[in-house]
Amino acid sequence: HKLSAHEVKKYNIIYDEEPQKEVNVSTPKVTENSASSIAYVSKAQVLLNGLGADEQLGGYGRHRGAFLHRGWAGLREEVDMDVARIWSRNLGRDDRCISENGKEVRHPFLDEHVMKVISEEIPMEHIVNYAEARSVGDKRILRIISHMLGMTRAAAYEKRAIQFGTKLAKLSNRRSFGSNRAFSGDAEYIVKRNEY
C-alpha cells in the first residue's frame, strides 16, 4: 500500500514501528488541531491532554484482566508497567502531533506531584472497583471527582481508544485495504521519509 502525501506527512511526524496503527491513532490529534481539517479552530495555544489517566487509574481492559487473574498485586504491576513505558509509547507522538499544528500541550495527570500521590498515597482499592461495570468501576476515583465537579456525562463515558472512538481505524483500513477485516498488522507500506 502506498501512503498518500497527507499520510506520509503524518507518518513523518509520528514515526513508529507500527505505521498503520500509529497513523490511525495520531490522525485525530493531527486533524482535530488543523485549521484546514475542521470547521472550528480554537484560539487556545495550550491544550490539556488526559494522557496518563488510563495508565495510572486502571482504565485499560488489560488492567481489569490483570486484577481478575492476579489480584491487587497483578493490577499494580500492570499499572506500573504502563506508567514506565508511557514516555516512549505515547508522549513523543502526541507532542509531535499537537506541536505540528502550532499548539503546546500540558499533561496534568503526568505532573510529578499528581503521579506521586496516585502511586504512593492512594490505595488501588480506592482508584478502581472492577466488581462494577465498565464505565463505572474503571478509573472510579476520576469518575467520582468528575461527577462532583458537575461533569456527569463525562463521568459515565466508557473507555474507547481514539482510533476506534473516532471510527478512523475502520475508515482508514477500508480505504487502504478494501475492508476493515483485511488489515492484519503486517501490511507493507512504501514510505519515503520527509517526502511531502
Side-chain angles (χ1 to χ4, degrees):
H1 169 70
K2 184 167 172 70
L3 298 176
S4 69
H6 184 66
E7 288 171 320
V8 170
K9 180 178 181 182
K10 287 185 293 186
Y11 181 80
N12 287 326
I13 294 168
I14 53 127
Y15 182 74
D16 191 271
E17 298 300 315
E18 299 177 71
Q20 182 69 20
K21 176 185 171 228
E22 294 300 322
V23 167
N24 286 342
V25 169
S26 67
T27 297
K29 291 179 177 80
V30 173
T31 58
E32 285 178 20
N33 296 313
S34 171
S36 63
S37 300
I38 59 173
Y40 174 79
V41 178
S42 172
K43 293 179 183 174
Q45 291 301 303
V46 179
L47 307 175
L48 294 177
N49 186 318
L51 186 63
D54 286 311
E55 290 81 359
Q56 296 178 84
L57 303 176
Y60 291 120
R62 68 177 173 279
H63 292 150
R64 183 179 290 267
F67 172 74
L68 294 174
H69 292 96
R70 302 187 325 260
W72 293 112
L75 173 60
R76 174 48 64 193
E77 284 175 26
E78 195 74 21
V79 164
D80 288 347
M81 179 186 68
D82 279 344
V83 170
R85 65 186 183 187
I86 196 170
W87 317 106
S88 61
R89 290 188 80 178
N90 306 83
L91 200 55
R93 176 199 62 216
D94 291 2
D95 185 57
R96 287 188 302 277
C97 291
I98 292 168
S99 62
E100 169 69 12
N101 293 283
K103 306 289 183 182
E104 292 183 41
V105 65
R106 301 292 182 269
H107 306 278
F109 291 102
L110 298 181
D111 175 82
E112 185 177 352
H113 179 70
V114 171
M115 292 183 75
K116 183 177 170 115
V117 168
I118 291 171
S119 67
E120 297 177 12
E121 298 179 24
I122 304 174
M124 288 304 293
E125 297 86 16
H126 294 205
I127 294 174
V128 299
N129 181 354
Y130 293 128
E132 295 179 329
R134 294 188 201 289
S135 76
V136 178
D138 55 330
K139 297 183 289 187
R140 187 167 193 275
I141 193 168
L142 183 58
R143 295 177 188 285
I144 291 169
I145 293 167
S146 297
H147 200 276
M148 290 169 56
L149 293 173
M151 298 184 287
T152 53
R153 285 181 50 203
Y157 285 151
E158 188 170 339
K159 165 73 179 147
R160 215 175 204 192
I162 193 166
Q163 69 271 31
F164 303 120
T166 61
K167 302 207 176 16
L168 185 68
K170 182 184 274 188
L171 294 171
S172 175
N173 291 340
R174 279 185 186 158
R175 190 176 120 305
S176 299
F177 303 102
S179 78
N180 189 42
R181 294 177 190 223
F183 175 65
S184 64
D186 59 357
E188 297 202 9
Y189 293 85
I190 301 166
V191 178
K192 293 182 182 173
R193 303 242 336 129
N194 297 318
E195 182 187 284
Y196 55 88

